[in-house]
């Protein structure tokens, strides 16, 4: 029996308030799932372990989520939304492709360095790619990268490139930095890494002067 379903029958919450409580509970469950995935690994993690982390039985947890795969998909959506928000906060309507790429690199590195959901995205990519529920969010994010790389080529800032290949190479490299923290990378180092990553990327795809 779920937490909300166990309320006394003579007590009713306004729909908006109830929905807010459910959403807050779901957010807590997602955050707990991220920690459990980080500690146990996605494959070994269980709904029982996630429920225990938030004080819910497996049965009560089903009120909020249907499966471990759904939680993973929710974390990926959360991570991508945060990356997109951080990116958009740095841009203006007149931003060039290179500005957009710099903002994306910084936001993605910030996520995998500071966000539990971002670390899940980076460290469990094999599982992420297998979960159909995360496909729409992943494809939206990948398409954003592709469109801005294409824009850079059109603007003449980037040389002609194989856009899907470059996109995957860049995201793979950025995601790998999540593991550096395990070997001593300080939490604030992502700023320096972001600058270096952008410099190397621009040197590789930028159009050279004739």
């Amino acid at each position: 029996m779920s937490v909300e379903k166990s309320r006394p029958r003579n007590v009713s919450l306004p729909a908006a308030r109830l929905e807010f409580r459910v959403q807050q509970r779901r957010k807590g469950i997602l955050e707990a799932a991220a920690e459990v995935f980080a500690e146990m690994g996605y494959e070994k993690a269980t709904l029982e372990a996630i429920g225990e982390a938030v004080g819910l039985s497996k049965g009560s947890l089903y009120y909020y989520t249907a499966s471990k795969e759904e939680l993973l998909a929710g974390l990926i959506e959360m991570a991508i939304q945060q990356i997109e928000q951080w990116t958009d906060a740095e841009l203006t309507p007149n931003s060039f492709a290179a500005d957009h790429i710099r903002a994306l690199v910084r936001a993605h590195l910030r996520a995998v360095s500071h966000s539990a959901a971002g670390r899940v995205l980076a460290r469990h990519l094999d599982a992420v790619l297998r979960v159909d529920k995360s496909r729409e969010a992943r494809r939206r994010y990948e398409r954003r990268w592709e469109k801005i790389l294409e824009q850079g080529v059109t603007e003449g800032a980037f040389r002609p490139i194989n856009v899907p290949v470059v996109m995957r190479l860049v995201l793979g490299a950025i995601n790998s930095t999540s593991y550096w923290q395990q070997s001593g990378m300080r939490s604030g180092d992502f700023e320096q890494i972001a600058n270096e990553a952008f410099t190397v990327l621009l040197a590789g795809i930028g159009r050279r002067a004739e």
Side-chain angles (χ1 to χ4, degrees):
M1 182 177 293
S2 72
V3 173
E4 269 64 34
K5 289 180 179 179
S6 65
R7 294 181 60 83
R9 292 187 179 183
N10 62 340
V11 177
S12 61
L13 290 174
R17 184 181 172 194
L18 178 59
E19 178 62 21
F20 176 78
R21 289 186 59 179
V22 170
Q23 292 302 321
Q24 289 299 107
R25 173 64 91 174
R26 284 177 176 155
K27 181 180 179 182
I29 291 170
L30 284 174
E31 292 170 350
E35 297 302 329
V36 171
F37 291 161
E39 181 179 349
M40 302 178 64
Y42 175 75
E43 299 298 339
K44 293 183 179 179
T46 63
L47 286 179
E48 288 90 345
I50 295 168
E52 182 178 347
V54 291
L56 291 174
S57 67
K58 183 178 179 180
S60 295
L61 194 62
Y62 277 124
Y63 181 86
Y64 301 97
T65 185
S67 65
K68 184 172 69 172
E69 290 77 13
E70 186 175 279
L71 290 175
L72 179 63
L75 285 167
I76 300 314
E77 178 68 37
M78 180 187 294
I80 290 174
Q81 285 183 357
Q82 186 65 82
I83 292 170
E84 291 176 331
Q85 289 170 7
W86 284 334
T87 298
D88 292 340
E90 294 194 28
L91 299 175
T92 70
N94 298 320
S95 294
F96 291 104
D99 302 319
H100 202 140
I101 292 292
R102 181 193 293 274
L104 278 169
V105 169
R106 283 172 49 82
H108 198 118
L109 276 167
R110 182 179 175 186
V112 301
S113 299
H114 288 52
S115 160
R119 287 191 291 272
V120 169
L121 172 64
R123 298 182 185 181
H124 300 285
L125 190 58
D126 55 339
V128 170
L129 293 175
R130 295 198 307 269
V131 175
D132 289 340
K133 291 180 181 293
S134 70
R135 182 174 300 168
E136 182 178 347
R138 287 189 291 107
R139 186 56 193 147
R140 184 186 75 238
Y141 183 54
E142 290 172 353
R143 185 57 188 151
R144 179 167 186 166
W145 272 91
E146 291 172 348
K147 287 176 67 176
I148 205 63
L149 288 168
E150 291 165 356
Q151 178 186 332
V153 173
T154 300
E155 291 175 352
F158 305 157
R159 62 179 176 79
I161 56 175
N162 186 318
V163 168
V165 169
V166 170
M167 179 268 294
R168 286 176 173 80
L169 285 172
V170 173
L171 291 182
I174 295 174
N175 284 334
S176 69
T177 63
S178 174
Y179 291 94
W180 298 1
Q181 290 178 314
Q182 298 175 353
S183 58
M185 185 180 81
R186 297 189 307 275
S187 61
D189 287 347
F190 87 93
E191 293 280 2
Q192 180 181 355
I193 296 170
N195 290 333
E196 292 291 348
F198 174 73
T199 300
V200 170
L201 174 60
L202 197 61
I205 67 176
R207 184 179 290 278
R208 295 171 177 80
E210 299 295 338

